[in-house]
Amino acid sequence: MSEVLITGSSRGIGKACAICLAKNGFDIVLHCSKNIERLNPIKEEILKLGVNARTLSFDVSNREECEKILLDDIEKNGVYYGIILNAGIAKDNPFPSMENCEWDDVINVNLNGFYNVLKPLIMPLIQKREGRIVVMSSISGQTGNRGQVNYSASKAGLIGATKALSREVAKRNITVNCIAPGVIESDMTEELPPEIVKSIPMKRMGKTDEVASLANYLLSKEASYITGQVIGVNGGLYI
């Protein structure tokens, strides 16, 4: 059975992706940055679906830690079929008030995490001559958003990185695509003002399952000719 690593899969979109993919027959490698025990309930839920699951814990902003843990894991268990780069943070602040750490932390997790996770895995994928990479960007990376210069920069960077990498690995039967969610129900959007939702043409937030179903499709055999794309899940928000 094909195995998929999902970073940041303890909650929200990452958790929804893990459950959705497991229901569709994928074995799952769950990830969180710390407190690996919090992945156990999700792991148990996945195992009940009749597929395999295991857990990893590492800081995606720590290059050496990523390399060691990921290389150890694929040496023991084989190369992943799919990778969903979902781990990310937001530290919003108007740019004039933004602290250095708010800029650095968001860039290090969201953008440098792309490099830190994929760099040790890309040659094994190339040698395998098959793979699916899905990168979670954001509508903020397409349009920009007030108070999110750091977040928008990191998510826009992911779009550029996705497009470039997709060209490099396409001949090895590896696809690389971006999903750009809009306003999705999660703990990150709990306190959004009502006018934000009113600005969405569908007049509601998206659901994590609606993002996960797209990730599932992009990992399927039916999506083998789709690469280098940025697909919005945004209820019609204009970009």
Side-chain angles (χ1 to χ4, degrees), residues 32 34-42 55 57:
C32 65
K34 53 188 176 181
N35 300 329
I36 196 170
E37 294 80 12
R38 62 183 168 152
L39 293 173
N40 288 339
I42 309 167
T55 59
S57 179

Side-chain angles (χ1 to χ4, degrees), residues 9-10 15-16 18-20 22-23 28 30 38-53 209:
S9 44
S10 65
K15 178 181 176 181
I19 300 301
C20 178
K23 287 179 178 177
I28 305 298
L30 297 162
R38 62 183 168 152
L39 293 173
N40 288 339
I42 309 167
K43 177 182 176 181
E44 292 302 316
E45 186 175 350
I46 290 170
L47 292 172
K48 289 177 182 178
L49 295 170
V51 297
N52 295 322
D209 290 347

Side-chain angles (χ1 to χ4, degrees), residues 174-185:
I174 300 168
T175 66
V176 192
N177 291 289
C178 253
I179 297 177
V183 184
I184 305 299
E185 290 180 358

Side-chain angles (χ1 to χ4, degrees), residues 75-100:
E75 183 178 352
K76 293 174 184 174
N77 300 288
V79 182
Y80 314 124
Y81 164 76
I83 302 163
I84 299 179
L85 296 175
N86 173 72
I89 62 171
K91 293 189 175 182
D92 299 350
N93 212 350
F95 191 69
S97 303
M98 187 166 288
E99 301 287 342
N100 291 342

Side-chain angles (χ1 to χ4, degrees), residues 6-135:
I6 307 170
T7 67
S9 44
S10 65
R11 59 183 181 176
I13 290 173
K15 178 181 176 181
C17 286
I19 300 301
C20 178
L21 292 173
K23 287 179 178 177
N24 283 278
F26 290 98
D27 294 328
I28 305 298
V29 182
L30 297 162
H31 161 267
C32 65
S33 60
K34 53 188 176 181
N35 300 329
I36 196 170
E37 294 80 12
R38 62 183 168 152
L39 293 173
N40 288 339
I42 309 167
K43 177 182 176 181
E44 292 302 316
E45 186 175 350
I46 290 170
L47 292 172
K48 289 177 182 178
L49 295 170
V51 297
N52 295 322
R54 66 176 182 279
T55 59
L56 297 176
S57 179
F58 56 86
D59 178 358
V60 298
S61 69
N62 185 318
R63 191 161 299 161
E64 293 75 19
E65 187 177 24
C66 287
E67 181 177 20
K68 181 182 185 306
I69 290 176
L70 289 169
L71 289 180
D72 284 350
D73 188 58
I74 64 172
E75 183 178 352
K76 293 174 184 174
N77 300 288
V79 182
Y80 314 124
Y81 164 76
I83 302 163
I84 299 179
L85 296 175
N86 173 72
I89 62 171
K91 293 189 175 182
D92 299 350
N93 212 350
F95 191 69
S97 303
M98 187 166 288
E99 301 287 342
N100 291 342
C101 63
E102 292 172 331
W103 175 272
D104 291 340
D105 289 350
V106 170
I107 296 297
N108 285 336
V109 172
N110 296 0
L111 185 54
N112 290 345
F114 173 99
Y115 181 89
N116 297 341
V117 172
L118 284 186
K119 186 58 164 59
L121 299 176
I122 199 66
M123 279 308 300
L125 281 175
I126 288 171
Q127 291 163 357
K128 187 180 179 183
R129 301 184 69 88
E130 180 184 43
R132 298 281 189 272
I133 299 170
V134 176
V135 181

